[in-house]
Amino acid sequence: MKTTYLLFTFCLVFFACNSNKKESEPVLTDSVALAPSTQAEITEVSSSVANDAAVDWSDIPSLEDIGNFPFIKAPKGLAIEKEVNGLTQVFEYEQMVNYLGENRFYPTEGKLGMIFIEFNDAQYNNRYFDKNIYTYLDELGAKKLFSGEIVRNDLTKERLKNNQYDGKYRYSSISDSAPFSVYAFKNKGKKYLVTVQSNTALGTIYIMELNDFVPSIEKYTAEHMQAEIDKTGKAVLQINFDTNKATLKQDGREVADQIIQLLKADGNLKLSIEGHTDNTGDPQKNIQLSKERAQAVVSYLVEHGISSSRLKSNGFGATKALFPNDTEDHKAQNRRVELVKIN
């Protein structure tokens, strides 16, 4: 009987200890793992800025007669820091991943304006700022997409890590330790997102005018080459090859196609195609590689109808650098092909 009682007591103690252990141990979960529908939504939004999967813009009000960008002025008694055209600073192109609630993100790109307001006067504070800005946006009819604080987890940290902006006057980012609100509206056919956040020292307004990125670099054409040759006797080209090889990449072939147009437009023009490298690696191997790359361009031109009698090739490795090979940018500019006019 005594033995049975001791065994029963041991079982109770063991069960209780095991139960307490389960209650006290944290439940380990993968913060990146989401429900299938949520993960699909985030993937859809991330894949294309133009894909408005997270924001139904047909349901966002179009606000007219509200003035011009950035649409928001400082509350009475407060002033915008270093104000120019209603903003403290502006980026003509930037990106922002907007937080719309736990594990919900909306990536945007476009013109990003920032308004900073410091509460230097003792009679003004962030409550005064918040009340004015939020009342204005609400009465204006802008749609509130989110209001609250960021729920911190690994996914949020990863998705929002680039929401940091180093401007002319201030470094800024949306803090995960203070509440903020995100509003949306349309104006004159354009889409806008406004993020408002404040603390006891500063009120901040981010306003993003959504625009898809439009490249501003013009393609280097035969006309540009001709103008450079007429001016200096040569044209400096950035022609891309496979790494450590003399094989033209697709964009390299596109530049070579422009050389063909240049030569066809002027039947008397003769060119020396000259290859150059940076100083990375063995000098003799660089010279050989630059010669092979120059010859690869000549071969491409001949294959596409240009007489070999109008062409020469040579390579100089890193012996005729345009810049010191002290930065990656300088090295990239030293890796080039020159079209030198043969008199």
Side-chain angles (χ1 to χ4, degrees):
M1 184 70 178
K2 186 176 180 180
T3 302
T4 304
Y5 175 78
L6 289 173
L7 180 60
F8 177 72
T9 303
F10 175 80
C11 291
L12 284 176
V13 172
F14 178 82
F15 178 78
C17 291
N18 199 45
S19 177
N20 288 339
K21 182 179 180 182
K22 289 182 179 179
E23 290 177 1
S24 62
E25 283 181 350
V27 179
L28 300 178
T29 60
D30 184 355
S31 59
V32 180
L34 307 174
S37 59
T38 307
Q39 182 66 60
E41 179 183 356
I42 292 173
T43 301
E44 185 177 9
V45 177
S46 303
S47 63
S48 172
V49 174
N51 186 348
D52 299 335
V55 175
D56 181 6
W57 283 96
S58 66
D59 191 44
I60 301 301
S62 182
L63 310 179
E64 306 302 331
D65 301 321
I66 60 173
N68 299 317
F69 183 91
F71 309 108
I72 301 172
K73 297 182 179 180
K76 185 177 180 180
L78 295 175
I80 297 174
E81 180 182 85
K82 300 185 183 297
E83 185 268 334
V84 176
N85 297 324
L87 295 164
T88 302
Q89 59 193 33
V90 62
F91 298 92
E92 290 301 322
Y93 172 78
E94 251 303 347
Q95 296 178 330
M96 177 181 282
V97 177
N98 299 271
Y99 181 86
L100 301 181
E102 186 172 4
N103 296 339
R104 296 184 61 234
F105 309 93
Y106 183 59
T108 56
E109 60 181 22
K111 180 179 179 180
L112 179 61
M114 299 181 185
I115 296 173
F116 300 117
I117 297 178
E118 288 188 296
F119 310 127
N120 294 321
D121 194 317
Q123 64 180 318
Y124 300 113
N125 54 36
N126 60 319
R127 294 186 182 89
Y128 176 80
F129 169 86
D130 289 350
K131 186 67 174 179
N132 274 278
I133 299 300
Y134 291 137
T135 299
Y136 171 74
L137 290 170
D138 289 335
E139 292 182 350
L140 203 64
K143 183 168 183 176
K144 185 183 291 185
L145 301 180
F146 171 78
S147 185
E149 293 187 15
I150 293 174
V151 176
R152 304 179 191 180
N153 57 37
D154 291 343
L155 175 62
T156 299
K157 183 179 179 180
E158 177 63 26
R159 292 302 306 278
L160 303 183
K161 67 180 181 180
N162 293 324
N163 284 357
Q164 303 180 58
Y165 309 100
D166 193 1
K168 184 177 181 180
Y169 302 114
R170 275 187 180 273
Y171 169 87
S172 64
S173 64
I174 298 173
S175 172
D176 63 357
S177 60
F180 63 94
S181 295
V182 181
Y183 286 80
F185 65 89
K186 294 180 288 190
N187 174 264
K188 299 178 182 177
K190 294 184 177 180
K191 303 172 184 177
Y192 295 90
L193 285 181
V194 180
T195 301
V196 182
Q197 188 174 52
S198 69
N199 54 41
T200 56
L202 183 72
T204 304
I205 301 170
Y206 300 85
I207 178 162
M208 172 71 82
E209 180 181 281
L210 277 67
N211 290 301
D212 291 338
F213 178 71
V214 178
S216 59
I217 300 175
E218 293 183 2
K219 190 173 183 179
Y220 195 73
T221 65
E223 289 76 16
H224 292 116
M225 296 176 192
Q226 184 66 66
E228 199 171 343
I229 289 172
D230 289 343
K231 184 177 180 180
T232 66
K234 66 179 181 181
V236 179
L237 311 180
Q238 300 297 322
I239 297 181
N240 290 324
F241 298 84
D242 289 338
T243 304
N244 293 323
K245 295 181 180 180
T247 307
L248 284 164
K249 288 189 173 182
Q250 175 59 37
D251 54 352
R253 291 194 292 272
E254 290 174 1
V255 176
D257 289 338
Q258 294 299 312
I259 302 175
I260 293 169
Q261 291 189 32
L262 168 70
L263 290 163
K264 287 184 176 180
D266 183 354
N268 295 318
L269 180 63
K270 296 182 179 181
L271 294 174
S272 174
I273 313 296
E274 301 179 355
H276 302 267
T277 69
D278 61 28
N279 67 345
T280 303
D282 180 79
Q284 291 303 315
K285 288 183 178 180
N286 284 338
I287 290 175
Q288 183 60 33
L289 179 62
S290 64
K291 288 182 177 181
E292 291 173 358
R293 286 179 169 179
Q295 183 55 49
V297 174
V298 169
S299 297
Y300 184 89
L301 302 181
V302 172
E303 289 171 5
H304 290 79
I306 303 301
S307 173
S308 60
S309 63
R310 301 174 62 189
L311 303 169
K312 291 183 179 180
S313 70
N314 207 342
F316 301 94
T319 62
K320 294 187 176 183
L322 294 177
F323 302 93
N325 287 286
D326 53 357
T327 67
E328 289 304 317
D329 181 59
H330 283 169
K331 287 184 177 182
Q333 293 184 68
N334 285 333
R335 296 190 296 268
R336 67 197 189 278
V337 171
E338 294 187 359
L339 309 182
V340 180
K341 184 177 180 179
I342 300 174
N343 294 321

